[in-house]
């Protein structure tokens, strides 16, 4: 148990009724539980409805991604990265391609750079809309917001399918570029989707942002301070909701992000509401980037001069991108063969769970569900 | 089933079945009606394991709309569910829970193994923590290949299942004859699961050099 | 990629710390790790407030062939065995100064590996060090909650180590190509 949670638990005294025995209740939520977004488990200790202690239990989806990747060639791991965070295959691909391109520098052509940005930002839209849908599901708005969100998601998945051949597992990036160019007319169709998107956001925000139940259930729930967030390695929207201005698209300026004007939304309270709003605001910024990228994209090749066999010299590298969930990093050690000696994924949603206990202690168990929802986890990435 | 209906139809002298239908009289056996009804209201369990679960959710949303086939009521509790869609990678750490959930479901119950992972371990087959197919522990009714299968494929799998349900002979259905099917929950050992498979539903290949592993023929088929 | 010389003040302050130029990493002796980590978080020592990534790397013992000259001028090839090691790698960034990465490594022997936990300094190490403990078998002194995290509690062995071999009763089916076929030929099959 962490220090903060320990003090909270120690200073907590059981509500005692005279002439009635009360005790703590231990509940194991998950791995099969509709609110855990997959096969995650929380062992919760409750006093009445209040959470006194909470232990996350991992590993129910540990698929040995790292071990498998160490036994295959560099490129063969690319489709496996799709299955890490299965909402965001494009950004996963990018993070891996970025790390590999640091091992063996390959010039990425202009058009590919633009398409990478377009795909990554579309992915961000997919992730954030779905997240908002699931989050409201956790709040008790069963179904309806999720149906709205998935309706929009389908439009973007159609674009992915036209470009890469697959809806979810795109496997579209290659070291030095992209697997293939987008088909004819794709940019116009993407433009139509991007142009129609703000209408959906307006509708969504009008329905949700000032909804009384949403406000009551999320404001001042699960407050995370900025200093605590940095120390606990929290990244992505969750870090920015705590008011820390750290967006890798601005800090590292990977790809061609320095060419686009966009702002980084920051929260002030660090509660569930901020975490929820940050995602809505980030979608607006993503739309700005998409707008500019679709306008400026040049023609040309999409694949750089990559060697036929990817065989970097012995070295090691760490490459990271701002995935919709946070900092997704790949740590690769090359030993001069065609297989990585060590292949490590730094999963953002796994590390974002470090503070889960601190956030939940003192709230009711229904709030624990909301807090978990606001962290935005995907089990494929948490357990790998 | 059609045969039985025809037999009934012949018992109404002077009319063919088509003529009766035109007059608004539908004929069926009890079994046919019963199977038709329960095939059209299969309630799946809200049970997502990995990537495939997202496509399962997508099949329930407005575009694909599984409600057209009567299966929109996803039940979080296994006690109220008829169908378990094993959607995603079953790890060894998760396998006992999956069996346990299956045991908790009431009869009649069906299983769809969705995705390469649930069928055989899929892309992660060689992993040290990955179960090489859920059919080692549970009787699978429909295998749905794909990685992930598209939502349309989920609907098709459901259609296949409905077809299967339509052809069930009640008197031979283990759901009615054998009581609630419960299978042993595997235990964890230092390296693996014990037992590594359920001999009631799966057998390892006699000669693995020539013969692939396969599940025992399901009794209901 | 050339990184600025963030490591140099550390080397001056702690003479026992080595700089591995090939890996671009600071090799910190485990007993010093806590002190170095705490020193690094200070604002005027780089403000390394964000420990992004923690992981393990397993190096097996290997044979190295070296040429050496005999006193009479002839050459001789000497084969010596380099002992294996386990490394715990930390990637540090500074959110305050937007710099990084600075790589720290604790190198521990493969037999009874014991490193020092940096969780008290950077909370982000908590789950990741547990993962290294689970998959590599490195124990961390000072970790608040060192248990297996991904594998089940009864599990023995550390699967991410390079010499981890699946047990003989490993469920396995033939797939007719490559390594798998080879394994198959060696008769590693399920006994019915
Ligand atoms: S079959 Fe493919 S998509 Fe489905 S769970 Fe397995 S890896 Fe994921």
């Amino acid at each position: 148990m962490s220090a903060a949670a320990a003090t909270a638990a120690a200073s907590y005294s059981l509500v005692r009724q005279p002439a009635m025995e009360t005790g703590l209740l231990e509940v194991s939520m998950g791995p099969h539980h509709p609110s855990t977004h997959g096969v995650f488990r929380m062992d919760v200790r409750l006093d009445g409805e209040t959470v006194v202690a909470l232990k996350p239990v991992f590993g129910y989806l540990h698929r040995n991604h790292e071990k498998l990747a160490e036994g295959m060639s560099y490129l063969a791991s690319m489709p496996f990265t799709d299955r890490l965070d299965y909402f965001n295959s494009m950004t996963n691909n990018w993070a891996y391609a970025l790390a590999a391109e640091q091992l063996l520098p390959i010039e990425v052509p202009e058009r590919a750079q633009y398409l990478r940005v377009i795909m990554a930002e579309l992915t961000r839209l997919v992730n954030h809309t779905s997240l908002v849908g699931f989050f409201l599901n956790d709040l008790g708005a069963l179904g309806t917001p999720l149906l709205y969100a998935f309706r929009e998601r389908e439009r973007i998945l159609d674009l992915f399918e036209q470009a890469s051949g697959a809806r979810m597992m795109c496997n579209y990036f290659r070291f030095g570029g992209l697997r293939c160019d987008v088909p004819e007319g794709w940019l116009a169709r993407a433009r139509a989707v991007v142009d129609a998107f703000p209408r959906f956001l307006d509708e969504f925000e009008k329905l949700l942002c000032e909804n009384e139940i949403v406000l009551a259930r999320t404001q001042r729930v699960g407050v995370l301070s900025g200093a605590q967030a940095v120390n606990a390695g929290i990244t992505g929207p969750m870090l920015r909701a705590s008011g820390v201005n750290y967006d890798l698209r601005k800090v590292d300026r990977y790809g061609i992000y320095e060419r686009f004007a966009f702002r980084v939304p920051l929260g002030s309270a660090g509660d569930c509401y901020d975490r929820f709003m940050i995602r809505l605001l980030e979608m607006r910024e993503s739309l700005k980037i998409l707008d500019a990228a679709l306008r400026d994209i040049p023609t040309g090749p999409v694949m750089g001069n990559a060697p036929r066999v990817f065989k970097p010299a012995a070295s090691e590298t760490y490459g990271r991108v701002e995935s919709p969930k946070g900092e997704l990093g790949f740590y690769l050690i090359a030993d001069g063969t065609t297989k990585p000696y060590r292949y490590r994924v730094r999963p953002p949603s796994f590390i974002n769970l470090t503070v889960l206990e601190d956030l939940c202690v003192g709230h009711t168990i229904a709030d624990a569900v909301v807090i978990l929802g606001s962290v935005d986890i995907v089990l494929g990435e948490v357990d790998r | 089933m059609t045969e039985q209906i025809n037999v009934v139809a012949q018992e109404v002298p002077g009319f063919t079945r088509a003529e009766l239908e035109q007059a608004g009289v539908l004929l069926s056996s009890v079994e046919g009606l019963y199977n038709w009804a329960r095939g059209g209201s299969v309630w799946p369990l809200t049970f997502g394991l990995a990537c495939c679960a997202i496509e399962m959710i997508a099949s329930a949303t407005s575009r694909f709309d599984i409600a057209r086939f009567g299966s929109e009521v996803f039940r979080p509790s296994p006690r109220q569910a008829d169908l378990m869609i094993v959607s995603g990678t079953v790890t060894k750490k998760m396998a006992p829970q999956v069996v346990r959930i299956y045991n908790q479901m009431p009869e009649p119950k069906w299983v769809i193994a969705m995705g390469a992972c649930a069928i055989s371990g899929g892309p992660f087959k060689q992993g040290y923590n990955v179960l090489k197919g859920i059919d080692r522990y549970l009787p699978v009714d429909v295998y749905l290949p794909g990685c992930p299968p598209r939502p349309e494929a989920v609907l098709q799998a459901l259609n296949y299942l409905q077809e299967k349900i339509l052809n069930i002979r009640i008197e031979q259905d283990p759901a009615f004859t054998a009581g609630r099917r419960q299978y042993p929950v595997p235990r964890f050992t230092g390296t693996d699961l014990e037992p590594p498979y359920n001999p009631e539903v799966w057998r390892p290949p006699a000669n693995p050099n020539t013969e692939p592993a396969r599940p025992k023929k399901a009794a209901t088929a | 990629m050339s990184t600025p010389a963030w490591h140099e003040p550390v080397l001056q302050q702690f003479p026992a710390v080595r700089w591995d130029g090939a890996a671009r990493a600071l090799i910190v002796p485990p007993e010093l790790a806590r002190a170095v980590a705490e020193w690094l978080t200070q604002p005027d020592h780089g403000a390394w407030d964000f420990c992004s990534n923690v992981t393990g790397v397993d190096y097996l013992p290997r044979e190295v062939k070296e040429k050496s000259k005999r006193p009479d001028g002839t050459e001789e090839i000497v084969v010596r065995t380099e002992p294996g090691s386990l490394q715990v790698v930390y990637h540090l960034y500074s959110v305050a100064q937007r710099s990084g990465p600075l790589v720290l490594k604790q190198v521990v022997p493969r037999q009874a590996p014991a490193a020092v936990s940096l969780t008290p300094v950077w909370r982000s190490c908590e789950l990741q060090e547990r993962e290294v403990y689970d998959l590599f078998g490195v124990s961390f002194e000072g970790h608040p909650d060192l248990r297996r995290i991904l594998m089940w509690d009864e599990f023995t062995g550390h699967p991410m180590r390079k010499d981890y071999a699946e047990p003989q009763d490993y469920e396995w089916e033939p797939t007719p190509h490559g390594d798998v076929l080879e394994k198959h030929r060696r008769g590693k099959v399920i006994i019915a």
Side-chain angles (χ1 to χ4, degrees), chain A residues 63 83 86 169, chain B residues 50-52 87-89 114-118 122-124 146-149:
Chain A
R63 300 191 280 196
R83 288 155 181 82
Y86 29 79
M169 306 304 177
Chain B
C51 349
C52 281
S87 53
T89 323
M114 175 180 180
C117 285
F124 299 95
C147 184

Side-chain angles (χ1 to χ4, degrees), chain A residues 309-384:
Chain A
V309 179
F310 191 83
K311 198 171 169 185
S315 58
E316 56 186 78
T317 190
Y318 180 68
R320 54 179 196 163
V321 303
E322 181 73 33
S323 99
K325 298 213 163 38
E327 171 187 329
L328 177 66
F330 279 83
Y331 174 52
L332 301 176
I333 298 184
D335 60 353
T337 63
T338 53
K339 298 175 182 176
Y341 186 77
R342 178 79 178 100
Y343 171 104
R344 149 87 179 165
V345 186
R346 188 248 188 229
S349 42
F350 176 54
I351 296 163
N352 286 359
L353 285 173
T354 310
V355 287
L356 185 67
E357 179 171 21
D358 304 47
L359 296 185
C360 291
V361 167
H363 291 291
T364 62
I365 186 152
D367 287 339
V369 171
V370 177
I371 292 169
L372 181 70
S374 76
V375 173
D376 188 9
I377 59 168
V378 153
L379 265 294
E381 187 179 75
V382 171
D383 293 338
R384 282 148 294 138

Side-chain angles (χ1 to χ4, degrees), chain C residues 60-137:
Chain C
L60 290 176
R62 59 191 182 117
E63 296 199 330
V64 200
K65 284 184 187 162
E66 273 176 358
K67 277 184 189 167
S68 69
K69 275 209 172 137
R70 290 211 191 98
D72 58 0
T74 53
E75 282 195 347
E76 174 192 37
I77 293 178
V78 186
V79 181
R80 73 188 161 81
T81 320
E82 227 175 53
S85 64
L86 281 165
Q87 298 186 345
V88 188
V89 188
Y90 298 79
H91 285 85
L92 308 180
Y93 285 85
S94 169
V95 171
Q97 304 187 356
R98 298 204 165 188
S99 49
L102 179 67
V103 188
L104 290 192
K105 284 186 180 179
Q106 296 188 48
V107 182
V108 291
R110 291 188 87 244
Q111 269 79 39
V116 170
S117 169
L118 299 185
T119 307
V121 185
W122 296 291
R123 188 78 198 285
S124 52
C125 305
E126 185 180 333
L127 298 179
Q128 304 189 69
E129 281 181 347
R130 261 178 82 184
E131 189 186 319
V132 175
Y133 167 74
D134 185 357
L135 302 183
F136 289 91

